[in-house]
């Protein structure tokens, strides 16, 4: 029976944590009670991308987009929308840019400049049903490669497409496949690197949760191209939904004869297993990842030999990440020229970003290479909330760099971001506003990489630790101008001499903030103030004339440092204040300032 209506609910990790599974169960219950269950198809999909609005529910065929849906809203949606045909106005999503309600999903500005290739099925199909993937042309590319093309032709198409690895390095995928194919070793492997460890990044997780078959199909194509018969997906154990759906998809593909022996009756055998990682950031590096699969501690080794020559258990191995593989079937469905026409001459196709930080539309997006940072942040991301000014954007995760406003019109591609002192990385993009202290930001990222250093090489193990010690000294008000020079020297030394990519890129946040925001560092070490009002030892809080006397600041102060009467301006006793910032967070009218110019004026009287 063909249902007259479909209700799609986001089943990504973010919405699941906000009870989207309970929302689905409630739809099932209420529709059954109303006698409408057979008229409505309920589909739990992967991530829609607009995570800030979750839990998200979309009702087809009219494409009504409901945001922040709760279990308590389900009965009203069923009664008003499903039964009476009247959308529930109060739940319809508002565009964060113009604050207007958007009834049609396709009219949302968040999606208007996106082009979805890797995320093409996320939010559109039930990832637990292989038939839905097949209905979207799934496994056609594999069938085409196995029945119509020789392995060298498959590699040639990949090289012509210009697809570069989306895991960070941007190495040409076709060239990588060609290296592995040239070995005469009868045993070869294909590995999907799903060890996504950047803080705030969830691009790969979204693909694995929303479209796992696209990765399986791509790995089988790669296996055919290079002559491998076994693949491994290395996924961190803290992605339980992704792991569950991957194993489910592998079982379904085997059941349909799309994995295992004699695929499409061509004599080609290929199978895939999932291997779990323990969450070490360094295992995102391919040689460390392979060591972990082999049962050893995840530590990188010197290259060459490269994995394509001597990889897993000493055999030639091709390693690509999740997003790279998610693009592969499309290259063979639509042709390399179609793919090459998207993006820039040296970076074809699209890129998925996890957009977070001080941004209106937090979520997952995919744009053609060549889209500018300004378009991503302001047109798609909706700009900076609370009327704050943009300050910087961090691309490339903890190993990337900070890019300033003057470079916002730079087209995004691998080479342009490196030229700006940052990198593409796997796709994390964190936006910062005027309230962020760039010294503190650099310290945050370096603290992460110090914790995640495997300790194998001295420059990374000791160099990053010494850099962190200096940054801690600066934010406590004990830094000197000489410390800034030492930071720069150490950073360049660690960059030039570390063993693997983790160490070689770890100083990037420090070096880029020293380059673009040196005045903030100087303010910390010379003036002994934190201009953004973040570093506690270099900050004071004062209450400005905006105060309405609501008493919330006084009630939230843990040490009783704020005094004042109702509807009267309050005052902070700086001798008692412990600079925790609880008052600033509690104030409903932004009357509490930590800006140096404000508290200096207040102290002067």
């Amino acid at each position: 029976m063909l249902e007259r209506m479909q209700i799609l609910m986001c089943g990504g990790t973010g919405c699941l944590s906000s009870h989207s599974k309970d929302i689905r169960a409630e739809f099932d219950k209420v529709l059954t009670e109303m006698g409408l269950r057979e008229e409505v198809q309920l589909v739990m999909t992967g991530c829609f991308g607009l995570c800030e609005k979750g839990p998200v529910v979309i009702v087809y065929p009219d494409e009504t987009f409901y945001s922040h849906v709760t279990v308590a809203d389900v009965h009203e949606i069923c009664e008003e929308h499903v039964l009476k045909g009247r959308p529930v106005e109060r739940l319809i999503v508002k565009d964060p840019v113009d604050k207007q309600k958007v009834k049609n999903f396709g009219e949302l500005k968040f999606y208007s400049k996106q082009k979805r290739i890797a995320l093409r099925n996320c939010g559109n199909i039930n990832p637990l049903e292989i038939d839905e993937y097949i209905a979207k042309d799934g496994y056609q590319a594999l069938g085409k490669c196995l029945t119509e093309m020789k392995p060298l032709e498959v590699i040639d198409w990949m090289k012509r497409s210009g697809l570069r690895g989306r895991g960070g390095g941007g190495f040409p995928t076709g060239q990588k496949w060609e290296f592995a194919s040239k070995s005469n070793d009868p045993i070869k492997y294909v590995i999907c690197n799903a060890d996504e460890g950047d803080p705030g990044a969830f691009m790969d997780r979204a693909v694995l949760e929303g479209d796992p078959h696209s990765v399986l199909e791509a790995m089988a194509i790669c296996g055919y191209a290079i002559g491998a018969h076994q693949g491994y997906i290395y996924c961190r154990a803290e992605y339980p939904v992704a792991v569950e759906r991957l194993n489910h998809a592998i079982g379904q593909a085997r059941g349909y004869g799309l994995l295992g022996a004699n695929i499409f009756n061509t004599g080609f055998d290929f199978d895939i297993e999932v291997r779990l990682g323990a969450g070490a950031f360094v295992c995102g590096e391919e040689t460390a990842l392979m060591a972990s699969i082999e049962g050893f501690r995840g530590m990188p080794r010197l290259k060459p030999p490269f994995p394509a020559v001597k990889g897993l258990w000493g055999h030639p191995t091709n390693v690509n990440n999740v997003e790279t593989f998610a693009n592969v079937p499309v290259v063979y469905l639509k042709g390399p020229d179609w793919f090459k026409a998207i993006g820039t001459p040296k970076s074809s196709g699209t890129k998925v970003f996890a957009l977070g930080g001080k941004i209106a539309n937090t979520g997952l997006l995919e744009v053609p290479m060549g889209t500018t940072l300004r378009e991503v942040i302001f047109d798609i991301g909706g700009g900076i909330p609370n009327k704050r000014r943009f300050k910087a954007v961090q691309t490339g995760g903890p190993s990337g760099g900070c890019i300033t406003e003057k470079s916002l019109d730079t087209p995004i591609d691998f080479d342009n971001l490196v030229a700006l002192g940052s990198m593409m990385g796997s796709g994390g993009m964190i936006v910062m506003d005027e309230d962020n202290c760039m010294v503190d930001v650099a310290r945050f990222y370096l603290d992460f990489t110090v914790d995640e250093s495997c300790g194998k090489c001295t420059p990374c193990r000791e160099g990053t630790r010494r850099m962190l010690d200096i940054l801690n000294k600066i934010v406590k008000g004990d830094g000197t101008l000489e410390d800034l020079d030492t930071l720069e020297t150490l950073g360049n030394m660690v960059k030039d001499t570390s063993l693997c990519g983790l160490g070689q890129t770890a100083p990037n946040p420090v070096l880029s903030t020293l380059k673009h925001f040196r005045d903030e560092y100087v303010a910390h070490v010379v003036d002994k103030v934190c201009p953004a009002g973040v570093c506690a030892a270099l900050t004071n809080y004062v209450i400005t004339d905006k105060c309405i006397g609501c008493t919330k600041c006084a009630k939230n102060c843990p040490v009783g440092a704020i005094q004042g009467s109702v509807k009267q301006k309050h005052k902070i006793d700086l001798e008692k204040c412990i600079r925790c910032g609880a008052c600033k967070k509690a104030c409903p009218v932004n009357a509490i300032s930590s800006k140096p110019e404000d508290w200096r004026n207040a102290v002067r009287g």
Side-chain angles (χ1 to χ4, degrees):
M1 177 181 175
L2 188 63
E3 295 89 348
R4 69 174 174 88
M5 190 172 277
Q6 290 82 39
I7 298 179
L8 275 60
M9 289 141 288
C10 178
T13 290
C15 283
L16 283 175
S17 65
S18 297
H19 309 292
S20 64
K21 196 176 276 187
D22 296 334
I23 292 170
R24 191 204 182 284
E26 186 69 6
F27 268 116
D28 196 23
K29 172 174 165 282
V30 174
L31 289 170
T32 301
E33 290 171 353
M34 296 174 72
L36 298 170
R37 185 63 185 88
E38 291 187 355
E39 299 177 32
V40 181
Q41 183 185 19
L42 299 177
V43 182
M44 186 71 86
T45 71
C47 180
F48 290 117
L50 195 47
C51 305
E52 196 273 334
K53 302 295 182 185
V56 168
V57 170
I58 300 180
V59 180
Y60 286 93
D62 47 350
E63 299 186 358
T64 304
F65 190 108
Y66 291 130
S67 62
H68 302 306
V69 177
T70 67
V71 172
D73 298 321
V74 171
H75 191 277
E76 186 177 358
I77 294 173
C78 292
E79 185 168 292
E80 291 297 316
H81 196 156
V82 178
L83 183 62
K84 301 175 182 175
R86 300 185 302 212
V88 181
E89 291 287 332
R90 67 179 180 84
L91 294 174
I92 291 177
V93 67
K94 285 183 181 176
D95 193 292
V97 177
D98 55 22
K99 309 299 179 189
Q100 298 296 311
K101 287 185 178 178
V102 180
K103 292 188 177 179
N104 190 298
F105 166 59
E107 295 173 357
L108 267 171
K109 291 178 182 172
F110 179 78
Y111 297 103
S112 62
K113 289 196 173 183
Q114 293 196 45
K115 185 172 185 61
R116 295 192 151 210
I117 297 177
L119 299 176
R120 61 193 178 281
N121 290 326
C122 294
N124 286 323
I125 64 170
N126 181 347
L128 297 177
E129 292 293 339
I130 189 173
D131 290 339
E132 293 201 17
Y133 179 69
I134 291 172
K136 294 279 186 181
D137 299 332
Y139 290 105
Q140 276 194 31
L142 176 60
K144 179 177 182 174
C145 291
L146 295 189
T147 61
E148 300 176 18
M149 302 172 74
K150 301 293 185 187
L152 286 179
E153 286 180 86
V154 175
I155 292 172
D156 181 57
W157 275 42
M158 186 51 62
K159 289 171 68 177
R160 285 169 50 200
S161 76
L163 175 63
R164 296 172 65 173
R166 301 306 198 236
F171 194 81
T173 303
Q175 203 173 332
K176 209 171 189 180
W177 289 15
E178 187 175 45
F179 288 152
S181 73
K182 286 182 175 176
S183 170
N184 293 322
D185 193 325
I187 300 176
K188 299 178 185 178
Y189 296 106
V190 175
I191 292 178
C192 174
N193 183 349
D195 192 59
E196 185 175 51
D198 293 5
F202 56 102
M203 301 78 59
D204 292 349
R205 189 190 73 202
V207 172
L208 296 176
E209 290 178 353
D211 193 17
H213 284 286
S214 67
V215 175
L216 305 185
E217 182 181 10
M219 290 178 69
I221 292 172
C222 177
Y224 174 68
I226 70 170
H229 301 288
Q230 180 63 49
Y232 294 99
I233 300 174
Y234 185 81
C235 186
R236 46 184 50 214
E238 62 222 57
Y239 281 3
V241 177
V243 171
E244 179 186 350
R245 292 179 185 176
L246 272 174
N247 283 318
H248 182 84
I250 290 170
Q252 285 187 322
R254 285 175 183 156
Y256 275 54
L258 298 168
L259 285 178
N262 195 26
I263 300 171
F264 285 112
N265 293 319
T266 58
F268 174 62
D269 306 334
F270 190 79
D271 209 345
I272 296 173
E273 293 178 23
V274 176
R275 294 296 174 95
L276 300 183
F281 183 65
V282 73
C283 286
E285 198 279 337
E286 57 187 6
T287 61
L289 181 156
M290 289 187 291
S292 179
I293 290 180
E294 291 170 351
F296 299 105
R297 179 178 172 185
M299 297 178 91
R301 63 164 170 76
L302 281 171
K303 293 183 284 187
F306 291 98
V309 176
K310 188 176 181 182
L312 192 63
W313 291 299
H315 298 288
T317 303
N318 180 81
V319 185
N320 288 122
N321 86 325
V322 173
E323 186 185 341
T324 308
F325 277 128
N327 278 282
V328 167
V330 181
V331 170
Y332 299 98
L333 284 173
K334 299 199 173 186
D337 294 337
W338 177 88
F339 191 87
K340 182 75 176 173
I342 301 167
T344 64
K346 291 185 177 178
S347 300
S348 57
T350 58
K351 182 72 191 81
V352 180
F353 291 101
L355 188 60
K358 305 288 185 63
I359 191 80
N361 291 334
T362 301
L364 205 64
L365 57 98
E366 182 174 2
V367 291
M369 295 281 193
T371 304
T372 66
L373 288 163
R374 188 182 301 279
E375 289 175 295
V376 169
I377 295 168
F378 290 94
D379 296 347
I380 299 172
I384 316 300
N386 303 321
K387 299 181 180 178
R388 293 291 196 267
R389 283 189 297 111
F390 169 85
K391 190 170 193 177
V393 58
Q394 164 95 1
T395 66
S399 302
C402 292
I403 299 170
T404 61
E405 186 168 12
K406 69 179 182 183
S407 301
L408 281 183
D409 292 315
T410 303
I412 300 170
D413 71 12
F414 288 99
D415 304 312
N416 284 341
L417 291 182
V418 170
L420 292 175
S422 187
M423 59 189 288
M424 186 77 78
S426 59
M429 188 179 283
I430 307 297
V431 180
M432 288 161 270
D433 70 10
E434 58 189 291
D435 290 336
N436 286 105
C437 167
M438 302 312 291
V439 181
D440 186 61
V441 167
R443 187 174 68 106
F444 169 81
Y445 283 116
L446 197 64
D447 187 46
F448 176 84
T449 47
V450 166
D451 276 350
E452 295 292 339
S453 173
C454 74
K456 185 171 183 176
C457 73
T458 305
C460 179
R461 183 184 68 243
E462 298 298 330
T464 55
R465 170 61 66 185
R466 296 287 78 78
M467 291 176 71
L468 182 60
D469 289 343
I470 294 172
L471 286 171
N472 283 330
K473 185 178 165 188
I474 291 173
V475 299
K476 289 177 181 173
D478 299 326
T480 64
L481 282 174
E482 289 73 25
D483 287 328
L484 304 189
D485 296 334
T486 305
L487 257 185
E488 207 155 20
T489 303
L490 262 176
N492 285 315
M493 182 273 294
V494 172
K495 198 176 175 71
D496 293 341
T497 57
S498 291
L499 173 63
C500 78
L502 172 64
Q504 291 160 8
T505 55
N508 280 349
V510 179
L511 293 175
S512 66
T513 51
L514 270 171
K515 178 181 178 182
H516 298 299
F517 299 95
R518 196 174 187 91
D519 56 332
E520 284 199 30
Y521 281 88
V522 172
H524 281 69
V525 300
V526 175
D527 302 329
K528 304 300 179 187
V529 297
C530 172
V534 173
C535 301
L538 302 174
T539 296
N540 284 315
Y541 290 94
V542 293
I543 300 178
T544 68
D545 292 340
K546 292 180 183 176
C547 178
I548 57 175
C550 68
T551 74
K552 283 189 176 178
C553 57
K555 290 174 181 173
N556 281 275
C557 178
V559 294
I562 301 178
Q563 302 296 323
S565 304
V566 176
K567 296 186 179 179
Q568 299 293 317
K569 180 181 174 183
H570 285 42
K571 188 173 182 181
I572 299 175
D573 183 342
L574 294 179
E575 294 296 322
K576 286 186 178 180
C577 177
I578 59 173
R579 281 76 175 170
C580 67
C583 55
K584 190 175 182 181
K585 290 177 185 172
C587 180
V589 293
N590 294 321
I592 297 178
S593 172
S594 55
K595 302 287 184 187
E597 57 271 25
D598 288 333
W599 56 260
R600 277 175 169 163
N601 289 336
V603 170
R604 290 190 194 107

